[in-house]
Coordinates of all heavy atoms in Angstrom, one line a residue:
S1345 N 112.4 96.0 88.4 CA 111.6 96.8 87.6 C 111.0 95.9 86.5 O 109.8 96.2 86.1 CB 112.4 97.9 87.0 OG 113.5 97.4 86.3
L1346 N 111.7 95.1 85.9 CA 111.2 94.2 84.8 C 110.2 93.3 85.4 O 109.0 93.1 84.8 CB 112.3 93.4 84.2 CG 111.9 92.5 83.0 CD1 111.3 93.5 81.8 CD2 113.2 91.8 82.4
N1347 N 110.4 92.7 86.5 CA 109.3 91.9 87.2 C 108.0 92.7 87.6 O 107.0 92.2 87.5 CB 109.8 91.3 88.5 CG 110.9 90.2 88.2 OD1 110.9 89.6 87.2 ND2 111.8 89.9 89.2
A1348 N 108.2 94.0 87.9 CA 107.1 94.8 88.3 C 106.2 95.0 87.0 O 105.0 94.9 87.0 CB 107.5 96.2 88.8
G1349 N 106.9 95.2 85.9 CA 106.2 95.4 84.6 C 105.4 94.1 84.2 O 104.3 94.1 83.9
V1350 N 106.0 93.0 84.4 CA 105.4 91.7 84.1 C 104.3 91.4 85.0 O 103.2 91.1 84.6 CB 106.5 90.6 84.1 CG1 105.8 89.2 84.1 CG2 107.4 90.6 83.1
N1351 N 104.5 91.6 86.3 CA 103.4 91.4 87.3 C 102.2 92.4 87.1 O 101.0 91.9 87.3 CB 103.9 91.5 88.7 CG 104.8 90.4 89.2 OD1 104.8 89.3 88.5 ND2 105.7 90.7 90.1
A1352 N 102.5 93.6 86.7 CA 101.5 94.5 86.4 C 100.6 94.1 85.2 O 99.4 94.1 85.2 CB 102.0 96.0 86.3
I1353 N 101.3 93.8 84.1 CA 100.6 93.2 82.9 C 99.6 92.1 83.3 O 98.5 92.0 83.0 CB 101.5 93.0 81.8 CG1 102.2 94.2 81.3 CG2 100.7 92.3 80.6 CD1 101.4 95.1 80.4
R1354 N 100.3 91.1 84.0 CA 99.5 89.9 84.3 C 98.2 90.2 85.1 O 97.1 89.7 85.0 CB 100.3 88.9 85.0 CG 99.6 87.6 85.4 CD 100.5 86.8 86.2 NE 101.7 86.2 85.4 CZ 102.9 86.5 85.6 NH1 103.2 87.4 86.7 NH2 103.9 86.0 84.9
T1355 N 98.4 91.1 86.3 CA 97.4 91.4 87.1 C 96.3 92.2 86.5 O 95.1 91.8 86.5 CB 98.0 92.3 88.3 OG1 98.9 91.6 89.0 CG2 96.9 92.7 89.2
F1356 N 96.6 93.2 85.6 CA 95.6 93.9 85.0 C 95.0 93.3 83.8 O 93.7 93.4 83.5 CB 96.1 95.2 84.5 CG 96.8 96.1 85.7 CD1 97.9 96.9 85.5 CD2 96.2 96.0 86.9 CE1 98.3 97.7 86.5 CE2 96.8 96.7 88.0 CZ 97.8 97.6 87.8
N1357 N 95.6 92.3 83.2 CA 95.0 91.4 82.2 C 93.8 90.6 82.9 O 92.7 90.5 82.4 CB 95.9 90.4 81.7 CG 96.7 90.9 80.5 OD1 96.4 92.1 79.9 ND2 97.8 90.2 80.1
N1358 N 94.1 90.1 84.1 CA 93.1 89.3 84.9 C 92.0 90.1 85.4 O 90.8 89.6 85.4 CB 93.9 88.6 86.0 CG 94.8 87.5 85.5 OD1 94.7 87.0 84.3 ND2 95.8 87.1 86.3
V1359 N 92.3 91.3 85.8 CA 91.2 92.1 86.4 C 90.4 93.0 85.5 O 89.2 93.0 85.6 CB 91.8 92.9 87.6 CG1 90.7 93.8 88.3 CG2 92.4 92.1 88.6
F1360 N 91.2 93.7 84.6 CA 90.4 94.7 83.7 C 90.1 94.1 82.4 O 89.0 94.4 81.9 CB 91.4 95.9 83.5 CG 91.9 96.5 84.7 CD1 93.2 97.1 84.8 CD2 91.1 96.5 86.0 CE1 93.7 97.7 85.9 CE2 91.6 97.2 87.0 CZ 92.9 97.8 87.0
G1361 N 91.0 93.3 81.8 CA 90.7 92.8 80.4 C 92.1 92.8 79.8 O 93.1 93.4 80.2
K1362 N 92.1 92.1 78.6 CA 93.5 91.7 78.0 C 94.0 92.9 77.3 O 93.5 93.7 76.6 CB 93.2 90.6 77.0 CG 94.5 90.1 76.4 CD 94.3 88.8 75.6 CE 95.6 88.3 75.0 NZ 96.7 88.1 76.0
Y1363 N 95.4 93.0 77.7 CA 96.2 94.0 77.0 C 96.4 93.6 75.6 O 96.8 92.4 75.3 CB 97.5 94.1 77.7 CG 98.5 95.1 77.2 CD1 98.2 96.6 77.4 CD2 99.7 94.9 76.6 CE1 99.0 97.5 77.0 CE2 100.6 95.9 76.2 CZ 100.2 97.2 76.4 OH 101.0 98.2 76.0
P1364 N 96.1 94.3 74.5 CA 96.0 93.8 73.1 C 97.3 93.9 72.4 O 97.4 93.5 71.2 CB 94.9 94.7 72.5 CG 95.0 96.0 73.3 CD 95.4 95.6 74.7
Y1365 N 98.4 94.5 72.9 CA 99.5 94.8 72.2 C 100.7 93.8 72.5 O 100.8 93.3 73.6 CB 100.1 96.2 72.5 CG 99.0 97.3 72.4 CD1 98.7 98.2 73.4 CD2 98.4 97.5 71.2 CE1 97.8 99.2 73.3 CE2 97.4 98.5 71.0 CZ 97.1 99.3 72.1 OH 96.2 100.3 72.0
G1366 N 101.4 93.5 71.4 CA 102.5 92.5 71.6 C 103.7 93.0 72.3 O 104.5 92.2 72.6
Q1367 N 103.9 94.3 72.5 CA 105.1 94.8 73.1 C 104.7 95.9 74.0 O 103.7 96.7 73.8 CB 106.1 95.3 72.1 CG 106.8 94.2 71.3 CD 108.0 94.7 70.5 OE1 108.7 95.6 71.0 NE2 108.2 94.1 69.4
Y1368 N 105.4 96.0 75.1 CA 105.3 97.0 76.2 C 106.7 97.4 76.6 O 107.5 96.5 77.0 CB 104.4 96.6 77.4 CG 104.3 97.6 78.5 CD1 104.0 98.9 78.3 CD2 104.8 97.2 79.8 CE1 103.9 99.9 79.3 CE2 104.7 98.1 80.8 CZ 104.3 99.3 80.6 OH 104.2 100.3 81.6
S1369 N 107.1 98.6 76.7 CA 108.4 99.1 76.9 C 108.5 100.0 78.1 O 107.8 101.0 78.3 CB 109.1 99.7 75.7 OG 109.2 98.8 74.7

Side-chain angles (χ1 to χ4, degrees):
S1345 56
L1346 188 58
N1347 288 339
V1350 167
N1351 288 336
I1353 294 283
R1354 181 185 294 112
T1355 298
F1356 300 147
N1357 274 348
N1358 292 335
V1359 177
F1360 305 147
K1362 187 169 179 58
Y1363 188 67
Y1365 307 123
Q1367 291 193 28
Y1368 173 58
S1369 297

